[in-house]
Amino acid sequence: MRLRFEIVVSLKDGLLDPQGKAIQGALPTLGWENVSDVRVGKHIELVVEAESEAEARSHVEEMSRTFLSNPVIEDFRVLSSEEASAS
Amino acid sequence: MRLRFEIVVSLKDGLLDPQGKAIQGALPTLGWENVSDVRVGKHIELVVEAESEAEARSHVEEMSRTFLSNPVIEDFRVLSSEEASAS
């Protein structure tokens, strides 16, 4: 089966996020005064071919840990899975 | 009320995604042969102060459309909202 996963990779809490700070600094000049705590991360979408959903999910978690994120400074979350249409 | 939102900004379908292609090209050399359709986007987390959830969400959607995404080449989705703790 082919399953589509979404992964969010974000900087660990407490680490300085320059991209988020840049967005937050720009928002007031555009009229948005009511926004705070902006953090920017990566969103990765991929399709995994596997025997079962559990197997696919464990592949995605291992990939995220070893390749898609830097575990020293980043956390990841696997958001969702859904059956992908054959292509 | 303070609400935390998550926004995903991704390239429109059909547009070339060099970052996704790079990841997809690297995965087989690391032993992952069963992955396809890799797309990379941005994940933005922010806290909005507003009177109601509907008002906050409309602010977030306008911000996403006018500032956080490039509507010519990107789509955005507002993923979730939850009450943010006071800070």
Side-chain angles (χ1 to χ4, degrees):
Chain A
M1 65 200 297
R2 288 164 50 85
L3 289 160
R4 180 182 307 279
F5 285 87
E6 290 183 53
I7 304 148
V8 170
V9 179
S10 50
L11 278 171
K12 289 191 180 184
D13 281 346
L15 289 180
L16 183 69
D17 175 1
Q19 239 186 314
K21 280 267 175 286
I23 291 176
Q24 198 167 326
L27 284 168
T29 67
L30 295 161
W32 305 104
E33 309 272 1
N34 55 345
V35 182
S36 60
D37 299 358
V38 184
R39 309 280 289 172
V40 179
K42 277 177 291 184
H43 176 263
I44 300 158
E45 215 183 299
L46 44 74
V47 172
V48 176
E49 179 104 46
E51 294 299 313
S52 68
E53 182 171 342
E55 191 193 319
R57 186 170 281 269
S58 86
H59 283 188
V60 169
E61 286 183 356
E62 199 183 329
M63 244 182 280
S64 302
R65 201 173 44 245
T66 57
F67 176 59
L68 298 173
S69 74
N70 175 353
V72 178
I73 56 166
E74 290 172 328
D75 287 324
F76 69 88
R77 277 178 300 150
V78 178
L79 281 194
S80 65
S81 74
E82 61 177 48
E83 203 117 359
S85 51
S87 68
Chain B
M1 62 200 298
R2 287 163 51 84
L3 289 159
R4 180 182 306 278
F5 285 87
E6 290 184 53
I7 302 148
V8 170
V9 179
S10 50
L11 279 171
K12 289 193 179 184
D13 282 347
L15 289 181
L16 183 68
D17 175 3
Q19 240 186 314
K21 280 266 174 287
I23 291 177
Q24 198 166 327
L27 284 168
T29 67
L30 295 161
W32 306 104
E33 308 273 1
N34 55 344
V35 182
S36 60
D37 299 356
V38 184
R39 308 280 289 173
V40 178
K42 276 177 292 183
H43 176 263
I44 300 158
E45 216 183 298
L46 44 76
V47 172
V48 176
E49 179 104 45
E51 293 300 313
S52 68
E53 184 172 340
E55 190 193 320
R57 185 170 284 269
S58 85
H59 283 189
V60 170
E61 286 182 357
E62 198 183 329
M63 245 181 281
S64 303
R65 199 173 46 243
T66 57
F67 177 59
L68 299 172
S69 74
N70 175 351
V72 179
I73 56 167
E74 289 172 329
D75 287 324
F76 70 87
R77 277 179 298 152
V78 178
L79 281 192
S80 65
S81 74
E82 62 176 48
E83 202 116 1
S85 52
S87 67

